[in-house]
Amino acid sequence: MKKNQLVLMLCLCTIHLFSQIKHGLRDDSGRHVVPRGFVVNTNDHKGEVFFNSDDYVRMVRMGANFQVIRLELGKLSSFPGGHLDNQYLKKLDTLVALGNNHDIKTVFKMTVYGVDKFKWEDFWLNNKNEYDTYIEAWKVVWNRYARNKAVVGYDVVNEPRKLTMDISYRNLTEKYLIPLYQKIIDESQKINAKKKILIQSIFMNKGEGVDNNQYAEITAPINRKNVVFAPHIYQSKIDFIKPVLERFDKESNLLNAPILIGEWGMPTFAKTDTLISGKLGQLEYRELYIKTAEVFDKMGVGSIKAWFLGNRTMQNFLPGGPSTWAIFSDSTDVGTVERKYITDVISRPFPQIIAGDIQSFLFNHATRTLDATIKPNNTLGLSKFFIGANRHYPDGFSVLIGSDIVLYYNPIKNLGLEVHKSPKEVTSSNFIWDEYTQKLIVLQWPESQNELHIKIVPGIRNLD
């Protein structure tokens, strides 16, 4: 399959030998993409949720280039209590269009919300052809977006459960889950084989987690193409973050599928918004999120944060009081008041899309420095770095490219990028600061470069 035929083709490092990042994606031009974004809910515990264009501008200015829209099975299927809701389909169309208008790609994720008494134990046994009913719900979505390039994939079973079923997690995975995935993938690829299928592992019962991880291990291959491993990580203990991600990496090898973290980040408690230090305080959360983000960056994996919502609902599902995954604290369906102790970590600088190969990248939160190494290929088009200067560099920032190019942005003058140092043969107008989207856009990299080291550092004309 040629590069210009690919739609966000995921490439393993065995294919792109120059890239050290195993889990990278490719867009239809062959550029290296790192997906980041948010779970977008169509409802919460108080009813429907509605988004507008301003909400998507906020997403972009927080570094989003992907959204994962959470589907409600009850509005797409004939399971008890459910029916196909055409108004709901129009709402999905609107969300996809809003994302596309702001350069945000879409993945759909199916949840079992809206169905009367959905029982996983009955579902696995499939005595009433539940699999076919489930796939028919997906077919509505697959057919509707088969030719829509803004929709790149489908997360087909969200957090599947064992619950009271008398079976081991390994046997449930190998006897039921993997065959179901194979059936779903085969049906999806009859409609459009280029769309990505995201898969998860079994969500374990409370108290049965391993190494503080409540997601069972994938123990068998799927043997299908265009599969993405989309595990969730809600890790509350710093020492377990790296081991859990290393286990996921091992599973991705077995699946022959790159990783996109489908959800991450411990939920915050109501009391966290009022506490700086101590147990459940904001400093504790910030450190936990930073350590998680560092592992993501070092692995080069994309990540999706739940939820892009306000705080009109909280739940008592954890010891410690009411808690939520919402990233905004105001009491509305879609908020604007950020929980900055987590959003500043979520919205950290990164190479978003690169014409070439991303070799490595890491944002150092202590020094506010982004280090990235790339192998450029100007034939693929332009590149974009999300900087987030409005939150990370209110004092301005400098862009260091190799040892010869130093550009800087002065927020007081607000004149775009200025040149401090550059060889004559380099066209400085190829480097553009987009204040609206908070991105550095590179139209063309310097020629005759096998590999480039790029640093984004705080301050004006900072040569460190």
Side-chain angles (χ1 to χ4, degrees):
M1 188 178 289
K2 296 179 180 179
K3 279 187 177 179
N4 60 6
Q5 296 175 316
L6 300 178
V7 178
L8 285 175
M9 190 67 178
L10 293 132
C11 298
L12 301 176
C13 62
T14 53
I15 298 174
H16 289 271
L17 297 177
F18 291 110
S19 178
Q20 295 177 13
I21 292 180
K22 171 183 174 182
H23 303 287
L25 283 79
R26 299 278 161 175
D27 73 356
D28 53 1
S29 299
R31 295 178 297 177
H32 196 155
V33 178
V34 177
R36 282 200 197 152
F38 302 94
V39 175
V40 171
N41 298 19
T42 57
N43 71 340
D44 63 13
H45 293 283
K46 289 193 175 180
E48 288 201 70
V49 175
F50 296 95
F51 295 86
N52 60 35
S53 183
D54 288 347
D55 299 318
Y56 278 80
V57 171
R58 261 191 296 280
M59 283 189 212
V60 169
R61 289 169 65 88
M62 296 177 75
N65 56 350
F66 270 61
Q67 64 172 339
V68 174
I69 299 175
R70 197 177 74 168
L71 298 175
E72 302 169 54
L73 184 60
K75 293 186 177 181
L76 294 167
S77 77
S78 59
F79 277 100
H83 70 281
L84 181 58
D85 186 336
N86 287 314
Q87 286 301 118
Y88 184 69
L89 294 177
K90 292 178 181 178
K91 182 175 184 176
L92 299 181
D93 291 344
T94 298
L95 294 174
V96 171
L98 282 169
N100 191 46
N101 291 343
H102 292 88
D103 202 22
I104 292 174
K105 299 296 185 183
T106 294
V107 170
F108 284 111
K109 171 163 61 181
M110 187 70 77
T111 72
V112 297
Y113 297 122
V115 172
D116 291 346
K117 297 180 180 179
F118 186 92
K119 293 191 66 175
W120 286 101
E121 298 93 332
D122 293 341
F123 178 75
W124 295 124
L125 297 177
N126 196 34
N127 290 329
K128 296 181 180 179
N129 296 317
E130 286 90 346
Y131 292 0
D132 289 341
T133 304
Y134 190 84
I135 290 171
E136 285 301 313
W138 263 121
K139 284 182 179 179
V140 173
V141 178
W142 295 338
N143 284 307
R144 195 173 187 89
Y145 300 103
R147 294 178 179 83
N148 191 323
K149 292 186 177 181
V151 176
V152 299
Y154 311 105
D155 195 340
V156 290
V157 185
N158 185 58
E159 295 189 337
R161 310 293 179 103
K162 177 171 82 79
L163 300 177
T164 62
M165 195 171 182
D166 186 16
I167 191 172
S168 69
Y169 289 106
R170 184 186 187 102
N171 286 342
L172 178 59
T173 297
E174 296 181 6
K175 184 177 180 180
Y176 295 100
L177 182 65
I178 298 300
L180 174 62
Y181 281 145
Q182 291 170 330
K183 182 177 177 67
I184 291 174
I185 293 167
D186 290 344
E187 291 301 315
S188 175
Q189 292 184 344
K190 290 176 184 177
I191 296 172
N192 188 333
K194 296 179 182 180
K195 302 290 189 181
K196 298 299 171 184
I197 300 297
L198 283 66
I199 64 105
Q200 303 179 31
S201 55
I202 301 292
F203 186 87
M204 302 171 76
N205 296 336
K206 286 188 177 181
E208 297 179 5
V210 178
D211 292 337
N212 209 48
N213 178 22
Q214 279 192 262
Y215 297 91
E217 186 173 355
I218 295 284
T219 53
I222 291 180
N223 297 320
R224 295 294 189 273
K225 295 181 179 179
N226 288 349
V227 173
V228 180
F229 184 35
H232 297 178
I233 176 169
Y234 289 112
Q235 186 54 254
S236 61
K237 297 181 180 179
I238 286 177
D239 292 342
F240 285 113
I241 295 169
K242 186 176 179 182
V244 167
L245 267 295
E246 287 174 345
R247 200 202 82 183
F248 290 161
D249 192 61
K250 175 184 171 184
E251 292 171 73
S252 81
N253 289 334
L254 176 65
L255 294 166
N256 194 27
I259 293 173
L260 168 59
I261 302 297
E263 292 180 16
W264 73 282
M266 282 295 291
T268 57
F269 290 82
K271 65 178 67 174
T272 308
D273 290 338
T274 66
L275 296 174
I276 290 295
S277 60
K279 186 65 176 175
L280 302 180
Q282 294 178 21
L283 294 179
E284 179 183 74
Y285 270 82
R286 181 169 172 79
E287 183 179 13
L288 179 66
Y289 272 58
I290 286 173
K291 293 298 183 183
T292 307
E294 286 176 350
V295 178
F296 289 168
D297 286 3
K298 289 176 182 177
M299 289 181 66
V301 299
S303 54
I304 306 297
K305 183 69 182 76
W307 298 316
F308 200 83
L309 286 184
N311 207 52
R312 70 178 182 177
T313 64
M314 277 197 162
Q315 302 175 62
N316 283 290
F317 58 90
L318 289 173
S323 59
T324 181
W325 282 279
I327 66 167
F328 301 109
S329 63
D330 37 344
S331 300
T332 56
D333 56 346
V334 185
T336 62
V337 181
E338 295 183 24
R339 290 187 160 96
K340 283 185 68 63
Y341 54 92
I342 61 172
T343 56
D344 281 355
V345 181
I346 297 164
S347 305
R348 63 198 181 280
F350 72 110
Q352 195 173 75
I353 185 166
I354 298 297
D357 299 310
I358 304 172
Q359 305 280 64
S360 63
F361 68 94
L362 177 66
F363 180 68
N364 186 311
H365 291 264
T367 63
R368 290 185 288 148
T369 300
L370 173 66
D371 278 279
T373 302
I374 69 168
K375 181 178 174 59
N377 182 351
N378 285 323
T379 65
L380 301 180
L382 57 79
S383 301
K384 296 179 182 180
F385 282 74
F386 173 73
I387 304 297
N390 57 344
R391 69 179 69 236
H392 294 291
Y393 303 111
D395 39 3
F397 63 88
S398 297
V399 182
L400 284 59
I401 304 173
S403 58
D404 298 326
I405 304 173
V406 179
L407 311 171
Y408 64 93
Y409 171 69
N410 184 338
I412 296 176
K413 294 168 67 175
N414 193 24
L415 296 176
L417 289 178
E418 300 181 65
V419 180
H420 175 67
K421 177 184 177 183
S422 177
K424 292 182 180 179
E425 64 271 17
V426 173
T427 304
S428 60
S429 59
N430 282 330
F431 302 89
I432 301 168
W433 169 241
D434 186 340
E435 170 69 23
Y436 186 71
T437 64
Q438 293 288 294
K439 295 177 185 178
L440 168 65
I441 299 172
V442 182
L443 302 179
Q444 189 172 49
W445 295 104
E447 296 292 345
S448 303
Q449 294 283 353
N450 184 50
E451 189 174 277
L452 282 176
H453 182 214
I454 300 101
K455 290 182 73 174
I456 311 295
V457 298
I460 297 169
R461 296 183 296 276
N462 185 351
L463 306 183
D464 291 341

